[in-house]
Amino acid sequence: MHFSLHYTSEGSSASNDMVLRTSPVVDPRQERVPGVRTRYLNGDVPPDRVARISCTLGLPDGAGYVRLASADPSVQPAFHYCYLQHPNDRRRVREGLRMAVRLLASEAYKDVVDYRIHPTDAILADDDALDRWIRQTVGTARHVSGTCKMGPETDPMAVVDQYCRVKGVEGLWVVDASVMPRIPRSGGSHATVVMIGERVVDWIAGRVPVSNG
């Protein structure tokens, strides 16, 4: 059984920038990219007897970068995510995990949870220790966005214009999550990408006029 709690971190300038969600520790789906999922933190307990509350950082302040790995266009570029390098990202994840611990200790869970396995009380009590634990256990859903920036002609880092046309290349458009300036809150990017595609296809097909100004 799953539940999700969207909430706003203390002092955050964006609403619903965080999510707590429950899940079993075992995911029967085969990994498409081995090693992306988080490790099972079940200790000596059989995995089918363990559940977890995960803290999702929906709107990170930090950003990664993409670099070409080769002059060969068929070679996948190198992605550097730079997770949790921004201090406010670390602070918000610590806050979320400590909130999850308080939930587990509440009346609502008294008949559900026998005890907490990870993190220990000693780790929770120390910011540095908790930061180390988070770095050791962090995973990703890989809702990658913002790698092909949209912006005006005056922005030297912008790759596409407001119609998703690649600047300086005739007849080439980028229509996916890479044109987004930020990840859309904490719910994944699928619906937003569908909306972008439906909008841009009208421009490409000529059903809606495109300004060249």
Side-chain angles (χ1 to χ4, degrees), residues 12-36:
S12 177
S13 61
S15 62
N16 288 342
D17 56 324
M18 303 294 294
V19 182
L20 293 179
R21 68 181 84 234
T22 61
S23 66
V25 298
V26 177
D27 191 332
R29 297 171 298 176
Q30 183 177 358
E31 285 190 283
R32 296 190 179 188
V33 181
V36 170

Side-chain angles (χ1 to χ4, degrees), residues 19-130:
V19 182
L20 293 179
R21 68 181 84 234
T22 61
S23 66
V25 298
V26 177
D27 191 332
R29 297 171 298 176
Q30 183 177 358
E31 285 190 283
R32 296 190 179 188
V33 181
V36 170
R37 290 191 193 138
T38 53
R39 297 183 289 129
Y40 295 169
L41 300 175
N42 56 296
D44 297 328
V45 182
D48 61 355
R49 298 288 300 168
V50 179
R52 64 184 173 189
I53 298 180
S54 302
C55 175
T56 299
L57 178 66
L59 288 173
D61 286 331
Y65 57 93
V66 179
R67 285 183 177 166
L68 294 177
S70 168
D72 182 351
S74 66
V75 175
Q76 175 77 11
F79 287 78
H80 302 267
Y81 296 102
C82 302
Y83 288 138
L84 301 176
Q85 292 193 10
H86 194 286
N88 195 43
D89 291 347
R90 296 194 298 272
R91 181 196 66 80
R92 286 184 288 165
V93 173
R94 288 195 305 266
E95 177 189 86
L97 291 174
R98 286 166 174 159
M99 183 188 299
V101 169
R102 293 198 301 272
L103 285 173
L104 289 177
S106 68
E107 282 291 308
Y109 277 91
K110 68 177 182 178
D111 296 325
V112 179
V113 175
D114 291 328
Y115 59 91
R116 170 171 32 96
I117 301 174
H118 289 285
T120 65
D121 289 343
I123 290 174
L124 284 165
D126 183 274
D127 284 356
D128 291 337
L130 187 53

Side-chain angles (χ1 to χ4, degrees), residues 102-207:
R102 293 198 301 272
L103 285 173
L104 289 177
S106 68
E107 282 291 308
Y109 277 91
K110 68 177 182 178
D111 296 325
V112 179
V113 175
D114 291 328
Y115 59 91
R116 170 171 32 96
I117 301 174
H118 289 285
T120 65
D121 289 343
I123 290 174
L124 284 165
D126 183 274
D127 284 356
D128 291 337
L130 187 53
D131 282 347
R132 287 193 296 272
W133 185 86
I134 291 168
R135 286 196 298 269
Q136 292 165 357
T137 58
V138 68
T140 177
R142 298 191 81 249
H143 293 298
V144 182
S145 65
T147 58
C148 191
K149 184 179 181 181
M150 178 186 288
E153 290 294 336
T154 53
D155 186 348
M157 295 300 293
V159 178
V160 300
D161 65 11
Q162 69 268 36
Y163 300 103
C164 295
R165 298 177 298 191
V166 176
K167 297 180 179 183
V169 182
E170 188 71 26
L172 181 61
W173 309 60
V174 174
V175 188
D176 57 30
S178 59
V179 303
M180 296 179 185
R182 297 201 72 178
I183 300 169
R185 289 299 186 268
S186 307
S189 54
H190 177 261
T192 309
V193 171
V194 171
M195 180 276 296
I196 292 172
E198 291 179 347
R199 178 65 170 156
V200 177
V201 74
D202 285 335
W203 293 329
I204 295 174
R207 291 190 287 266

